[in-house]
Amino acid sequence: AQSVTQPDIHITVSEGASLELRCNYSYGATPYLFWYVQSPGQGLQLLLKYFSGDTLVQGIKGFEAEFKRSQSSFNLRKPSVHWSDAAEYFCAVEPWASGTYKYIFGTGTRLKVLA
Amino acid sequence: DTGVSQDPRHKITKRGQNVTFRCDPISEHNRLYWYRQTLGQGPEFLTYFQNEAQLEKSRLLSDRFSAERPKGSFSTLEIQRTEQGDSAMYLCASSNEQETYEQYFGPGTRLTVT
């Protein structure tokens, strides 16, 4: 079945430490890939996206993500976390090969940052 | 470009009442989406419009739910005879044909059914 998996429900890191949030997808073809961030009570803000080309993509707020076709993964990284990064992070795919435009989201990873 | 707006931001209603939410997409966007997000979950697709045509509906959209986009601009999502299980954040997103695969999300409407 088509799915998006974020295996870590909660992650806690210290401010200044590096961060990696995992995302795996299960689709027949490579979908379009996105990472969104959601602060409490707020909507979703796009951090970065991957459609094709260079497998390392840069986003806003110092985030980057790497697409690995062999692992069906699109992990989000940040070299040095700031306290303001505490939020919930969602990986999403748009399975373009299906002919629809809807997003399929993972269940999210809640990031806590320790001072 | 003022972004996607949603109204109201919060709604508390009693079980059995009807509620209606409004979404105003980015002005040049012809595609509009509704998602539902329950606590601790990612958003789930509900329905999708291209201009005024509703092209896809999720099986999550029961008979009590109806969505419209009468003039291809704003959209409304109505829930009739609300149930406690309808309590969730309802998110609207829009996109255009030049950037079809990138959706811009509104702040959401949080519904609480008591």
Side-chain angles (χ1 to χ4, degrees):
Chain A
Q2 298 178 334
S3 65
V4 178
T5 301
Q6 292 181 248
D8 304 305
I9 298 174
H10 298 279
I11 282 186
T12 300
V13 299
S14 298
E15 190 171 19
S18 63
L19 173 70
E20 182 170 29
L21 303 182
R22 296 182 289 165
C23 174
N24 292 92
Y25 63 89
S26 173
Y27 287 95
T30 299
Y32 295 136
L33 298 157
F34 306 84
W35 275 99
Y36 281 84
V37 61
Q38 186 177 38
S39 297
Q42 302 300 311
L44 299 166
Q45 182 182 21
L46 179 67
L47 287 175
L48 45 76
K49 61 194 177 191
Y50 174 78
F51 292 167
S52 65
D54 192 346
T55 57
L56 185 63
V57 293
Q58 302 298 318
I60 63 172
K61 304 185 179 187
F63 285 93
E64 66 179 25
E66 185 172 14
F67 169 62
K68 292 186 177 180
R69 185 188 306 274
S70 61
Q71 298 177 20
S72 296
S73 69
F74 188 56
N75 294 348
L76 182 71
R77 300 195 295 245
K78 187 170 185 179
S80 178
V81 170
H82 187 264
W83 64 266
S84 61
D85 293 324
E88 189 146 25
Y89 292 80
F90 292 96
C91 179
V93 306
E94 198 287 312
W96 62 271
S98 69
T100 67
Y101 304 100
K102 62 187 178 188
Y103 283 3
I104 310 297
F105 285 88
T107 52
T109 298
R110 183 169 297 279
L111 175 65
K112 182 177 180 180
V113 180
L114 301 177
Chain B
D1 179 358
T2 58
V4 178
S5 62
Q6 293 185 244
D7 183 70
R9 294 290 307 275
H10 302 274
K11 178 71 177 180
I12 300 175
T13 191
K14 294 185 177 180
R15 187 178 55 184
Q17 298 295 305
N18 299 344
V19 294
T20 300
F21 309 141
R22 176 179 170 125
C23 171
D24 286 272
I26 294 172
S27 59
E28 65 270 23
H29 286 185
N30 65 334
R31 301 184 196 272
L32 187 146
Y33 313 80
W34 285 98
Y35 293 84
R36 182 173 69 185
Q37 184 180 19
T38 53
L39 203 61
Q41 299 297 315
E44 296 175 290
F45 170 78
L46 290 178
T47 190
Y48 152 60
F49 290 86
Q50 181 169 331
N51 299 312
E52 65 276 8
Q54 188 174 19
L55 298 185
E56 185 173 349
K57 292 194 292 185
S58 162
R59 64 182 183 278
L60 293 175
L61 217 62
S62 75
D63 291 344
R64 297 184 297 104
F65 288 71
S66 63
E68 294 183 342
R69 195 182 183 198
K71 298 182 179 179
S73 57
F74 73 91
S75 175
T76 57
L77 178 68
E78 181 183 16
I79 308 175
Q80 296 183 326
R81 305 181 302 282
T82 52
E83 301 173 356
Q84 287 189 320
D86 297 330
S87 295
M89 174 80 90
Y90 290 85
L91 294 165
C92 176
S94 68
S95 69
N96 65 29
E97 289 182 282
Q98 285 70 45
E99 298 180 298
T100 296
Y101 304 107
E102 183 167 346
Q103 297 178 22
Y104 296 80
F105 283 81
T109 294
R110 180 166 296 285
L111 173 66
T112 301
V113 181
T114 62

